[in-house]
Amino acid sequence: MTKTMDGPNGYSRHTVKARGAVANVSHRYTVLDSTAFDDGWDRTSWDDDAPPPLQTHVGIDHAKSIISRNQSPDVPFDRSVNPYRGCEHGCVYCFARPSHAYLDLSPGLDFETRLFQKPDAARLLRAELGKKGYTPSTIAIGANTDPYQPIERRLELTRGCLAVLSDCRHPVSVITKSALVERDIDLLCELARDDLATVCLSITTLDRSLARIMEPRAATPARRIETVRRLSAAGIPVFVLVSPIIPFINDHEIEAIVREASAAGAVGANALLVRLPHEVAPIMEAWLRQHFPDRADRVLNTLRGARGGRLNDPRFGSRMRGEGPMAEMIMARFRKARDKSGLGTRRWELRTDLFTPPGSQSQLSLF
């Protein structure tokens, strides 16, 4: 059952403090739906000035495997590891939100508050790397949800996976927008020395006020720039993801973000136009009408113009960058800024020839 609240499109008229989505939205597999309303009996729990606080709950995901594989031509890796489901950062635009529908949970506030950890992540990873016939290729950690979201500070599942990859000399690329990645500089630096690691840091804005409502529980923009600087100083290659670009919201910052990233020591940059698959579209629309009512229609119509008349284009090739004059102009601006800052030459490829399957060293030591 999914609860919706009064207001346009089933959303609450309130903004929930420190959360990205305005409320929960019914997912595409919903069977039973309910609407909350005020019957006058408990007015203290539904106040016009302040909605009830939301707590974060963490459940257990008893995963049987940990490496996910894809054949998408739009991403530069074919396998990934995600130690968590859901993400407390609360980025309103997150393309991973619809994955919560498979759990019969809302891609809205549930995605930010109903999290799941995979406590056996490191053990499963070691087992899969040790399977007969395994061929190494770069593993992306954090392709679906941020591996350094706040609960990682306590659970250290991402660090456990990095330790396995370090032991096996396996290539890895970490995708995050959290300063917590600095905690694991020791492991990443050791891997990077042999060209086995990169970090992709997402920086969508330099405006702290915008970040507070767009990515409410992620590191501040200034802190992320500092993270680029610290990782780079440690010898870890950092790519900055100026993604997603949302027309009339953060597109005016493209050049400034690229300049700041270059000055902090980044070696490369990439950018994508915002994607709104499945339930992300109504979540983004409600957010726009809540925070940017003066330009909400302009943003949505521009995205439709770049997506063949729809808010989302699922086709390979065009789904990441969009089509049409506006999308082409945005990407042309990004490429010009990237090339001007010298961030367009470094490639993603990492070494695979140093891979040592788990346990092989200890077995050889017996002779």
Side-chain angles (χ1 to χ4, degrees), residues 204 206 242 245 250-260 271 329-331 333-335 337-338:
T204 55
L206 299 176
V242 190
I245 296 174
N250 67 344
D251 62 309
H252 63 284
E253 297 189 71
I254 292 173
E255 291 80 5
I257 294 172
V258 171
R259 282 196 305 271
E260 289 290 323
M329 181 184 69
I330 287 174
M331 296 313 298
R333 281 177 51 204
F334 167 74
R335 288 190 295 269
R338 180 189 62 186

Side-chain angles (χ1 to χ4, degrees), residues 113-151:
T113 60
R114 302 283 298 277
L115 313 179
F116 295 85
Q117 59 148 318
K118 302 176 183 178
D120 294 328
R123 179 185 64 79
L124 291 169
L125 179 58
R126 187 177 293 276
E128 291 179 53
L129 295 182
K131 287 183 178 179
K132 184 177 180 180
Y134 176 82
T135 302
S137 183
T138 298
I139 286 178
I141 296 185
N144 206 45
T145 61
D146 201 309
Y148 286 102
Q149 59 180 293
I151 57 174

Side-chain angles (χ1 to χ4, degrees), residues 25-246:
V25 59
S26 298
H27 60 76
R28 58 196 182 282
Y29 304 121
T30 298
V31 175
L32 180 64
D33 201 25
S34 68
T35 301
F37 68 97
D38 181 7
D39 61 3
W41 284 101
D42 187 13
R43 296 195 64 82
T44 58
S45 66
W46 185 255
D47 188 280
D48 284 343
D49 296 323
L54 286 175
Q55 302 296 321
T56 299
H57 301 276
V58 183
I60 303 296
D61 184 336
H62 298 285
K64 300 296 177 60
S65 62
I66 197 66
I67 299 179
S68 299
R69 298 178 183 270
N70 75 84
Q71 297 179 329
S72 172
D74 295 324
V75 294
F77 54 84
D78 67 354
R79 64 200 70 180
S80 59
V81 166
N82 293 283
Y84 304 101
R85 286 177 179 261
C87 186
E88 198 173 2
H89 282 162
C91 304
V92 67
Y93 52 75
C94 183
F95 69 87
R97 283 181 177 273
S99 63
H100 247 45
Y102 296 115
L103 305 174
D104 197 24
L105 294 171
S106 173
L109 288 173
D110 282 350
F111 181 79
E112 307 172 33
T113 60
R114 302 283 298 277
L115 313 179
F116 295 85
Q117 59 148 318
K118 302 176 183 178
D120 294 328
R123 179 185 64 79
L124 291 169
L125 179 58
R126 187 177 293 276
E128 291 179 53
L129 295 182
K131 287 183 178 179
K132 184 177 180 180
Y134 176 82
T135 302
S137 183
T138 298
I139 286 178
I141 296 185
N144 206 45
T145 61
D146 201 309
Y148 286 102
Q149 59 180 293
I151 57 174
E152 166 63 16
R153 188 177 302 277
R154 171 172 56 90
L155 299 175
E156 297 192 356
L157 301 184
T158 298
R159 182 172 177 84
C161 291
L162 281 178
V164 171
L165 296 171
S166 179
D167 289 344
C168 298
R169 315 311 294 161
H170 192 290
V172 60
S173 185
V174 175
I175 305 170
T176 184
K177 52 170 55 75
S178 173
L180 182 57
V181 66
E182 294 174 14
R183 180 201 63 191
D184 295 338
I185 279 180
D186 57 335
L187 293 172
L188 291 166
C189 188
E190 182 182 350
L191 285 162
R193 277 198 295 266
D194 291 328
D195 199 18
L196 291 171
T198 62
V199 171
C200 298
L201 203 72
S202 173
I203 304 177
T204 55
T205 180
L206 299 176
D207 183 338
R208 185 175 181 135
S209 297
L210 177 57
R212 186 180 292 115
I213 59 173
M214 189 164 67
E215 308 160 334
R217 296 200 174 193
T220 65
R223 188 66 184 85
R224 280 181 246 180
I225 292 293
E226 180 60 23
T227 297
V228 174
R229 185 172 291 108
R230 293 182 183 183
L231 294 175
S232 299
I236 301 165
V238 181
F239 290 77
V240 167
L241 305 177
V242 190
S243 304
I245 296 174
I246 308 172

